Amino acid sequence: EKFGLLAGKRVVITAGPTREAIDPVRYISNHSTGKMGFAIAAACYSAGAKVTLLAGPVSLDTPNGVRRINVSSAIKMLDESMHQLEEGCDVFIATAAVADYRVAEVAEHKIKKAGDELNVSLVKNPDIVATIAQQSKRPFMVGFAAETRNVEEYAAGKLVAKKLDMIACNDVSRADIGFASDQNAMTVFFAEQYQMEKRDLEKASKQEIAQQLVEAIHDALHH
Ligand code: C5P
């Protein structure tokens, strides 16, 4: 029997970037390192949860006690998320930096160098966290927002638009926090029905921020 703030809860976390193939040897991706998601996975496990980490391509060790499933594209991450939902999920935490677009038609063979210009047409990827939030048996949904301006306004908008229960946002224009940094500072908002005040998490290590996010999730679940 496990003890802790999330004892017995099944938590699914998406983390890292996604990788969208152009052809068999090339892809489109982004600079996400997965650090925040992995830190949250470790904190959830320490809090007594059963944790499944859906990880895009990152070079991080799997946290102790965490079940990790590696995925590559946004479509694969969504498929695996839906599968996890069927298996049972109490809390879904979306930290992944999902590529907004994927290549419309992935070339079967390596594209050969030819003209001076190459056009690749892109189509929108599904929104994973919003898709999960629309399911009938939905878990407690946590999203993230990284913004460079109007941080709180955009985050509050996403909380409503994606039907989340909680959103953690940070200002990625600050060089000292976010992305590859080991430190982070966040503001957490809760959906209106929780009637909970927003929380400012002061600049701290990603491990400490993760612990505070676990506390915020616990408090909302018991509100
Ligand atoms: O819309 P934006 O990308 O800023 O939203 C960020 C939040 O939505 C994060 O929680 C991210 O993991 C999630 N997201 C997602 N699927 C997408 C895009 C974003 O789950 N295709």
Side-chain angles (χ1 to χ4, degrees), residues 14 74 77 92-100 125-130 142-147 158 162 164 167:
T14 67
M77 190 175 270
F92 188 92
I93 307 175
T95 71
V98 181
D100 290 323
N125 264 330
D127 190 310
I128 297 170
V129 78
V142 182
F144 282 75
E147 303 290 349
K158 278 175 194 176
K162 296 181 192 247
L164 306 176
I167 193 161

Side-chain angles (χ1 to χ4, degrees), residues 105-220:
E105 280 178 65
V106 180
E108 189 184 341
H109 296 287
K110 184 180 171 186
I111 299 170
K112 301 304 282 182
K113 195 164 29 196
D116 289 337
E117 270 184 44
L118 171 69
N119 290 301
V120 178
S121 131
L122 305 176
V123 292
K124 200 161 210 169
N125 264 330
D127 190 310
I128 297 170
V129 78
T131 305
I132 301 294
Q134 278 164 18
Q135 307 303 307
S136 51
K137 258 183 64 194
R138 54 170 264 158
F140 183 86
M141 298 297 303
V142 182
F144 282 75
E147 303 290 349
T148 56
R149 62 194 174 110
N150 303 343
V151 180
E152 304 208 346
E153 182 192 330
Y154 287 147
K158 278 175 194 176
L159 179 72
V160 173
K162 296 181 192 247
K163 295 193 165 68
L164 306 176
D165 294 291
M166 181 178 135
I167 193 161
C169 62
N170 63 347
D171 183 345
V172 289
S173 68
R174 284 176 57 180
D176 58 329
I177 56 169
F179 282 122
S181 169
D182 288 322
Q183 294 219 304
N184 210 342
M186 303 199 115
T187 306
V188 177
F189 294 93
F190 302 91
E192 207 170 282
Q193 72 261 26
Y194 293 95
Q195 295 183 306
M196 284 169 71
E197 290 288 321
K198 70 165 186 174
R199 290 188 188 181
D200 285 309
L201 313 184
E202 300 298 326
K203 186 172 155 185
S205 71
K206 286 187 174 172
Q207 282 68 33
E208 286 167 303
I209 293 285
Q211 180 55 37
Q212 294 184 67
L213 289 172
V214 164
E215 286 161 22
I217 292 167
H218 166 269
D219 292 350

